[in-house]
Amino acid sequence: ESIHEMRLALYINGFSLVPAMPTHRSGPSPIARIWSPFSLVERCQVKAMQHSAHWAVFKLTVFRREGMDLCYYFASTGSDAYEERDMWVEAISSAIGNVTWSLFPSHAIVVQPLPGKEQTSMRIMAGYLLLGGSADQVKLLYCELHAFSGGVARMVLYKDEWCEQEVLSVAITDTSSISTRRGAYCTVFGLDTHRFCARTREEKELWLRAVSNIKVKLMFDAPDTTAGDLAMFRAAVGE
C-alpha cells in the first residue's frame, strides 16, 4: 500500500481522483466513480506516527454482493485537518444520500395489509428497499416483513406496492444473520447473504429494529403470532 497526493472532486452523481502532480508511469491513475447507495462513510483513527496529529483520515466503503467491497481511504492534512475532514465527510454523505433518495418513489412505510390480498395478512411493516445485486447493480423492490409461524418469519419482496408479483422470499429464523455498519453515513443492512439499502438512516433503523425483534422472539421459541401479537407489532413500528 502507498499514499499519494490526489485532487478529490465531488459531483452530483459521483467523484473523481486525479494525481495532484504529474507522475511517472508507476504512479496512480485517475479514478472516477458514481455514487452507490450501498456505501459507508466513516471517520478513522490512524496509528501514531510522525506528524499524525495533523492527519485526519476518513474512509468510503462501497459494498458489493460478491464480497469484493471497494475501499477508499482519504486523509486531510495540516493544522485544520479535522475540520476539513468533517467538511468532506458531510459533503460525501449528503451526495450519497441525495442519490439514494432519488432512486425511491414517494411512499410511506405502512403496517396494514392490503384489502383482498391474503398474502399480506401477516404483514408487520412494508415499504420500498433497494436490493444489492452483482457488481454495482441495484433493484428497487417492495419489501414486506411477515410475522413468524412455525419458527420462521419471512421478508417477502414484491415488484411493487400492489404485491401481486412476488420476486423473492427470504426466511428469517433464530440463526439468521442480521448486520449493519455504523459510521457518519450508512443506510445499508444485511439479512443473511442479502444486502438492503433503506431510503434514510431513520428508515434503516426501523427495519433493523423490526427484523431484530423477530429474531429475538424466535431465539426464545415464542409461540406462533396471534392476532393480538400482530396488532402489537404493528403499533410498535409506529412508535
Side-chain angles (χ1 to χ4, degrees):
E1 297 183 356
S2 58
I3 299 173
H4 301 281
E5 185 176 357
M6 307 284 281
R7 296 190 184 278
L8 172 61
L10 307 185
Y11 306 94
I12 293 175
N13 62 342
F15 70 93
S16 67
L17 284 167
V18 178
M21 294 180 292
T23 58
H24 300 292
R25 292 180 180 178
S26 59
S29 301
I31 297 172
R33 269 201 61 87
I34 61 171
W35 298 122
S36 169
F38 289 83
S39 296
L40 165 69
V41 184
E42 57 185 329
R43 297 172 179 86
C44 304
Q45 298 293 327
V46 296
K47 294 180 180 179
M49 59 182 182
Q50 187 178 11
H51 306 308
S52 63
H54 300 293
W55 283 52
V57 180
F58 63 99
K59 178 184 178 184
L60 169 64
T61 303
V62 180
F63 300 115
R64 312 187 94 181
R65 186 172 180 178
E66 303 85 359
M68 300 294 289
D69 298 340
L70 300 177
C71 299
Y72 300 91
Y73 287 89
F74 305 91
S76 301
T77 61
S79 58
D80 59 348
Y82 288 93
E83 291 78 6
E84 187 175 333
R85 176 185 67 178
D86 289 345
M87 179 193 71
W88 282 112
V89 167
E90 178 61 31
I92 293 173
S93 299
S94 178
I96 297 173
N98 289 338
V99 167
T100 300
W101 184 275
S102 72
L103 298 176
F104 284 81
S106 177
H107 79 286
I109 290 178
V110 297
V111 298
Q112 295 300 325
L114 291 177
K117 299 287 179 65
E118 179 62 27
Q119 66 269 29
T120 68
S121 62
M122 293 293 283
R123 171 185 293 181
I124 293 176
M125 62 181 291
Y128 281 101
L129 290 171
L130 297 175
L131 175 66
S134 58
D136 291 320
Q137 295 180 347
V138 301
K139 290 182 179 179
L140 176 70
L141 297 170
Y142 196 71
C143 301
E144 181 177 65
L145 177 62
H146 283 198
F148 53 88
S149 177
V152 180
R154 291 197 305 154
M155 176 84 90
V156 184
L157 283 57
Y158 299 99
K159 180 181 178 182
D160 53 39
E161 68 260 40
W162 302 112
C163 302
E164 294 177 346
Q165 183 177 336
E166 183 177 319
V167 177
L168 180 67
S169 178
V170 182
I172 303 172
T173 69
D174 60 340
T175 60
S176 292
S177 174
I178 303 168
S179 61
T180 189
R181 296 284 293 276
R182 307 293 179 184
Y185 179 87
C186 184
T187 62
V188 179
F189 67 95
L191 178 55
D192 289 330
T193 60
H194 304 282
R195 274 185 175 145
F196 298 93
C197 177
R199 182 169 49 178
T200 64
R201 282 172 279 195
E202 292 75 18
E203 289 188 3
K204 179 193 80 168
E205 294 300 327
L206 188 58
W207 282 102
L208 270 176
R209 186 181 70 186
V211 174
S212 298
N213 285 345
I214 290 297
K215 178 182 175 179
V216 169
K217 292 182 182 300
L218 291 171
M219 289 172 63
F220 287 93
D221 297 321
D224 287 355
T225 307
T226 65
D229 294 333
L230 195 51
M232 199 160 38
F233 296 160
R234 290 168 177 164
V237 171
E239 292 179 353

